[in-house]
Amino acid sequence: MNARRALDSLLEASVVGSFTRLGYETRRRLYDWTPLERLRLDGKTAIVTGATSGLGLEAAHMLARQGAQVCIVGRNPDRTQQALETIDGAESELADFSSMAETRAFAERFVDGHERLDVLVLNAGALTHAFTVTDEGNEVTLATHVLGQFLLLELLRPLLEASAPSRVIVTTSGGMYLACLDVDALQPSEATYDGVKAYELAKRAQVSLVEEWTRVLAGTGVTMNAMHPGWADTPGLRTALPGFSRALSPLLRSPEQGADTIAWLASAPEVERTSGEFFLDRRARPTHRGGKTRRLDEAQERTRLWELCVSRTRARSADA
């Protein structure tokens, strides 16, 4: 075991070896992973947001093959319908999670039409190079990756608790290793906006919120963990970072490899009670690499982040 962990640690330190298909294939064999088809979700209900392509679509396929009743959520009607037709027994909904109004409407429809929710995969998001503000006054990266996810979890929380034990999984990114938690920077002006930086900051905020939500959800039977997929060859990556995608093309993971840990976190018995962790390739990983992204006032900044989310979403989390 020590030798395996040492090799895993070497991969982790290398970054390229860890985030590419090399890391996935090595770890899969190193730890003799349980095949997902043996981790059943029969009788369970799952939501996957951002499920029309890439990691979200692959995760939805995986959960359905494991036996779950899957609801896929997308923004584009045509793409959502096309995705739905590829997943046996699934259902679909339309919602743009950069809109708090649409997020609320979707949550209300889902709660009205379902008696349980066992797995919530918060995957919707995109790296956007153009500075855009929603009709509600929120920069779109912040709105989609942080505010919309926060509000959706708040609204679905009673159903998750009623279905406990239940699990929430957040798809984040290794890009968060390049950013510290900075609530002010999460709200850029058009003059200071950098799409890549905004994405990194939002992903860092997601991981911080997972840790905060874990404290709020303690004792409810609802667990929440974050994961990052490594570098996967998805339409989103090819569109957002075409140069990076072309340069790393031979080493990029497939969407299936990138989404594996999502489905594992949704179903593996060994993580049923695990909460507040950050995973890559079925193992919890540190949330910082070195000290550059750590803040001395981390606790205060997390409080500011939570307050921002409550204010911008008008959530009712008085106990949070």
Side-chain angles (χ1 to χ4, degrees):
M1 180 62 75
N2 288 338
R4 287 188 289 183
R5 288 180 177 173
L7 178 54
D8 194 349
S9 296
L10 286 173
L11 280 172
E12 181 76 6
S14 72
V15 181
V16 173
S18 182
F19 289 9
T20 60
R21 65 171 61 240
L22 300 175
Y24 174 88
E25 292 292 354
T26 300
R27 290 168 176 140
R28 181 174 64 85
R29 292 176 173 84
L30 198 63
Y31 295 110
D32 191 23
W33 288 356
T34 302
L36 289 176
E37 57 266 26
R38 286 167 48 188
L39 301 173
R40 302 302 302 167
L41 289 169
D42 302 287
K44 305 290 188 181
T45 300
I47 292 173
V48 183
T49 69
T52 58
S53 66
L55 299 173
L57 179 58
E58 192 57 51
H61 277 285
M62 290 174 168
L63 297 180
R65 288 195 294 267
Q66 290 173 279
Q69 173 65 43
V70 179
C71 174
I72 65 169
V73 190
R75 291 181 300 175
N76 181 283
D78 292 337
R79 291 177 60 193
T80 303
Q81 180 60 33
Q82 290 169 6
L84 178 65
E85 292 171 359
T86 69
I87 307 172
D88 291 339
E91 59 186 278
S92 68
E93 280 278 1
L94 293 175
D96 181 348
F97 293 111
S98 71
S99 164
M100 301 306 105
E102 287 196 30
T103 301
R104 285 185 179 278
F106 161 66
E108 289 171 2
R109 291 195 304 271
F110 189 87
V111 170
D112 287 344
H114 296 80
E115 296 182 352
R116 64 182 306 112
L117 176 59
D118 303 275
V119 177
L120 173 61
V121 180
L122 298 172
N123 172 77
L127 195 164
T128 306
H129 291 289
F131 179 78
T132 307
V133 175
T134 70
D135 293 341
E136 296 161 326
N138 300 309
E139 189 277 315
V140 73
T141 304
L142 171 66
T144 306
H145 293 261
V146 180
L147 303 178
Q149 289 194 3
F150 183 92
L151 180 59
L152 183 60
L153 176 52
E154 169 67 14
L155 296 172
L156 295 177
R157 177 181 168 187
L159 191 57
L160 286 161
E161 291 183 2
S163 308
S166 50
R167 310 184 191 193
V168 181
I169 300 114
V170 178
T171 305
T172 181
S173 165
M176 70 105 193
Y177 281 125
L178 301 174
C180 65
L181 180 59
D182 188 334
V183 174
D184 292 332
L186 277 169
Q187 306 170 84
S189 66
E190 185 170 7
T192 62
Y193 182 76
D194 178 319
V196 174
K197 189 63 177 177
Y199 182 84
E200 294 166 355
L201 287 162
K203 292 303 179 181
R204 170 60 69 182
Q206 286 180 338
V207 173
S208 296
L209 284 171
V210 166
E211 295 168 340
E212 291 299 297
W213 269 115
T214 295
R215 283 186 273 276
V216 173
L217 295 170
T220 65
V222 181
T223 62
M224 186 172 183
N225 293 286
M227 62 77 65
H228 84 88
W231 295 333
D233 186 15
T234 64
L237 180 68
R238 292 194 293 272
T239 300
L241 299 172
F244 178 86
S245 178
R246 286 192 298 271
L248 272 292
S249 180
L251 294 175
L252 293 178
R253 298 176 177 210
S254 67
E256 182 177 8
Q257 291 170 336
D260 174 90
T261 297
I262 299 175
W264 178 80
L265 282 170
S267 57
E270 59 264 42
V271 288
E272 183 178 29
R273 293 180 176 83
T274 300
S275 197
E277 299 287 355
F278 178 59
F279 283 84
L280 167 67
D281 291 339
R282 302 193 184 190
R283 289 185 68 84
R285 308 287 171 177
T287 56
H288 296 274
R289 302 176 68 92
K292 292 184 178 180
T293 57
R294 296 181 186 274
R295 295 179 63 117
L296 294 176
D297 60 345
E298 189 84 10
Q300 294 94 317
E301 199 67 4
R302 285 181 183 172
T303 298
R304 292 186 65 215
L305 174 61
W306 192 277
E307 291 171 348
L308 172 70
C309 290
V310 171
S311 172
R312 292 292 183 89
T313 64
R314 299 181 181 178
R316 297 179 179 178
S317 258
D319 61 333

